[in-house]
Amino acid sequence: MYITGKIQIEDNETTTLPESAITNDGDKFYAFTAKKEGNNWTFTPVEVFIGVKDGNWVEVKFTEELGADVKFAYNNAYYLIAEMKKGESEHSH
């Protein structure tokens, strides 16, 4: 009989997001802030540095300081960046 477990050896606080909230574009990683304006939501990419992964959660450090009340999209980051790129290519014509 085998048992798999985790042993916590350090007590550190860090910021984490679900893996589905993070996507990459080349060698950079992004999460999306979410802000409700009226009945619509706007999503803005924010570059992050990723760290340790634990299950489906990933440690993130931000390249810029964000307020404590910032909300994030917790999934579909790949879709959001694809839509953003699609919008950029439509405007470049």
Side-chain angles (χ1 to χ4, degrees), residues 28-78:
K28 293 184 179 183
F29 292 87
Y30 296 92
F32 284 82
T33 60
K35 184 175 181 182
K36 189 168 186 178
E37 297 174 352
N39 290 329
N40 298 316
W41 286 88
T42 58
F43 300 96
T44 306
V46 176
E47 186 178 356
V48 295
F49 297 110
I50 59 172
V52 178
K53 182 179 173 190
D54 185 9
N56 291 328
W57 292 88
V58 179
E59 175 187 22
V60 293
K61 295 186 189 303
F62 302 101
T63 59
E64 57 188 65
E65 183 142 351
L66 302 175
D69 60 341
V70 172
K71 293 176 176 48
F72 287 90
Y74 265 36
N75 57 27
N76 295 325
Y78 177 80

